[in-house]
Amino acid sequence: MIEIRQAGSDKVLLTVPADTLVGADLHGQRLRGADFSGLSAEGANLWGADLWRSDCHGADFRDANLGRTALREVNLRGADLRGANLSSADLRWAHLEGADLSGANLRGSDLRGTSLRGANLRGADLRGAEFRDADFGDGGRTSAFDTRSTHWPRGRRPATVHRGPDIDLGLSTAPPPEGERGVSFPEPKEPECRGRLRIFLGAAPGVGKTYAMLAEARDLREHGVDVVGAVIQTHGRAETEALLEGLEVLPRQRLDYHGTTLQEMDLDALLARRPQLALVDELAHHNAPGSRHEKRWLDVEELLAAGISVWTTVNVQHLESLNDAVAQITGVRVRETVPDRLFERADEIEVIDLAPADLLRRLDEGKVYVPDTAQIAVRKFFRPGNLAALRELALRHAAQRVGDQVRNYMQAHAIEGPWPTHE
């Protein structure tokens, strides 16, 4: 039996009924501040776990599944991460000095502010990762490139690249001119311009997110913008379906699963069509087995990386960081979540607000989609107190984002503050 304790204390966070963590299944575990230093967790499944500010220096995570794991501010100095899956992991401000990441999958990971001095990235796949303010040191055998302020692959290019051997960035691997310490960043296979993301955020189902998205999209289309409905869920609402008139909507992809035909967004057809703007309803949706990505938000990330702008809808209860708070408010644990980093990277978030009394009236009038199998649960969810609390969460989240934008603007323009935005 192994006890995982909190770093610097005797508090036991998790007891594993085994003699080793090798191959252990710890997916989704909340292990903030845990002490993994020197432990061997080779081949372990930590997908979606929360290891924020944990001490993992010298730990062995070879071939471990750390996809979508929260590793923010984690100490991974000298850790062995060879062949590990770190796709879409949150590694902001983590310490990876001297870590061995050779052959690791870091696709779509968030490495902003991360220190990777002396890390071995040979054969690592870094496509789709975010490197802003990451520190790769001054080059050398194990450094991928000097990216102290780069935004690659979001379309911006650093002045020089310090290549490590066999690093997979989805780029040309032609050798640099002899004698040059750095070379110009080669043209990426992905487009130089990343698509823009706009999120229509609601407090609960039925507030009018899809209606608002379609209404604004129709206006853009009338002004010459190439708009395509990638996946739209009208749930039979006549007023919403009316907005689809004249709008191009792609046919769904059909997938066979245990004798049942399921329909999903046809990602490949959308990428081939390449509209200026794609409308993607229900961001938190879990895709059917056989789809390229498990979650729809991963489809959206691929569209954005391909240079296609996306408008999408989601309710506040699906935001990953608010999962516990929503469960406490409503008594319902939401299983389909969207990582906070997608919200942080969004170019615009529009709150579609509706008073609880008006939403309850819509529910009584049958204008809110409710599956027959979920009638009781939904009735418990749609209580005035619950809706008021969820509405506050949505508005607070939007207000916090606006506050961050104001502070960033003031810092960028050297404006002394604070501004008198409230009494």
Side-chain angles (χ1 to χ4, degrees):
M1 184 176 294
I2 295 178
E3 292 181 338
I4 300 176
R5 299 178 181 271
Q6 194 167 52
S9 75
D10 294 326
K11 181 180 179 181
V12 177
L13 299 176
L14 181 68
T15 300
V16 181
D19 296 329
T20 177
L21 291 177
V22 174
D25 187 0
L26 304 175
H27 79 276
Q29 293 289 342
R30 186 180 176 89
L31 297 167
R32 289 191 168 192
D35 186 359
F36 280 89
S37 57
L39 291 178
S40 177
E42 181 182 354
N45 180 16
L46 286 148
W47 185 89
D50 187 352
L51 275 71
W52 182 60
R53 287 189 175 176
S54 292
D55 185 0
C56 301
H57 78 272
D60 183 356
F61 289 112
R62 282 175 295 168
D63 298 315
N65 183 6
L66 294 155
R68 289 192 64 200
T69 302
L71 295 165
R72 188 170 177 174
E73 299 179 47
V74 167
N75 177 7
L76 282 159
R77 293 182 176 94
D80 192 343
L81 291 151
R82 285 176 290 172
N85 173 31
L86 289 150
S87 60
S88 300
D90 184 354
L91 284 153
R92 283 174 292 174
W93 302 294
H95 292 275
L96 284 155
E97 297 95 334
D100 191 347
L101 289 149
S102 55
N105 175 13
L106 287 151
R107 276 189 141 188
S109 58
D110 194 340
L111 291 152
R112 286 177 289 173
T114 299
S115 176
L116 285 141
R117 286 175 171 263
N120 183 2
L121 290 161
R122 178 176 299 172
D125 187 347
L126 304 174
R127 286 173 290 187
E130 172 65 81
F131 296 116
R132 185 168 57 226
D133 299 322
D135 185 358
F136 286 84
D138 298 320
R141 183 182 67 83
T142 58
S143 292
F145 39 58
D146 184 1
T147 57
R148 294 171 191 261
S149 60
T150 186
H151 291 250
W152 189 88
R154 300 181 70 183
R156 300 178 187 174
R157 311 194 303 180
T160 61
V161 177
H162 302 288
R163 295 182 190 274
D166 304 325
I167 294 172
D168 182 5
L169 297 173
L171 307 171
S172 168
T173 55
E178 187 174 349
E180 280 196 23
R181 183 169 178 267
V183 296
S184 296
F185 199 81
E187 291 298 323
K189 293 177 182 176
E190 298 176 53
E192 285 291 323
C193 295
R194 182 179 173 86
R196 293 179 61 82
L197 175 63
R198 183 179 186 183
I199 297 175
F200 290 79
L201 178 67
V207 297
K209 302 179 299 298
T210 303
Y211 186 93
M213 178 177 71
L214 289 174
E216 293 195 40
R218 284 178 63 88
D219 185 60
L220 284 184
R221 181 178 172 276
E222 290 174 2
H223 285 82
V225 177
D226 183 16
V227 181
V228 167
V231 56
I232 305 295
Q233 300 286 4
T234 66
H235 299 301
R237 301 176 188 134
E239 63 272 22
T240 305
E241 290 182 346
L243 293 176
L244 291 175
E245 185 177 350
L247 183 68
E248 180 184 352
V249 179
L250 287 184
R252 303 281 185 91
Q253 179 185 18
R254 294 179 178 273
L255 299 168
D256 291 328
Y257 181 68
H258 295 317
T260 302
T261 300
L262 305 175
Q263 296 187 31
E264 293 292 353
M265 180 177 74
D266 195 333
L267 181 58
D268 288 328
L270 185 57
L271 289 168
R273 171 64 177 75
R274 293 193 61 79
Q276 291 176 274
L277 175 63
L279 308 180
V280 181
D281 224 347
E282 299 186 358
L283 179 64
H285 173 76
H286 194 292
N287 288 333
S291 302
R292 177 149 74 247
H293 299 302
E294 183 182 9
K295 300 294 184 68
R296 186 167 287 167
W297 63 262
L298 290 168
D299 294 336
V300 167
E301 287 197 327
E302 184 169 345
L303 292 171
L304 295 171
I308 300 172
S309 294
V310 175
W311 285 5
T312 187
T313 65
V314 71
N315 291 318
V316 71
Q317 64 263 28
H318 295 289
L319 188 59
E320 204 166 63
S321 64
L322 298 178
N323 197 248
D324 291 341
V326 170
Q328 185 177 2
I329 291 169
T330 65
V332 178
R333 173 68 64 176
V334 177
R335 299 300 178 187
E336 295 181 328
T337 59
V338 177
D340 290 54
R341 65 182 177 83
L342 201 65
F343 280 74
E344 293 169 4
R345 293 180 183 182
D347 298 282
E348 186 177 354
I349 295 178
E350 180 175 342
V351 177
I352 308 302
D353 189 36
L354 189 65
D358 293 331
L359 181 55
L360 289 170
R361 184 171 61 253
R362 285 176 55 81
L363 181 66
D364 292 335
E365 292 172 352
K367 295 182 178 179
V368 179
Y369 172 70
V370 179
D372 294 337
T373 56
Q375 290 284 346
I376 297 176
V378 169
R379 286 291 172 180
K380 289 176 63 177
F381 186 90
F382 279 82
R383 292 174 175 170
N386 291 355
L387 296 176
L390 291 172
R391 186 188 190 196
E392 182 181 3
L393 281 179
L395 293 172
R396 281 184 179 274
H397 183 79
Q400 181 180 351
R401 177 182 172 86
V402 172
D404 291 341
Q405 290 173 335
V406 171
R407 283 191 294 273
N408 291 339
Y409 178 85
M410 294 176 72
Q411 291 172 1
H413 294 80
I415 299 173
E416 295 184 3
W419 279 343
T421 55
H422 59 81
E423 296 182 354

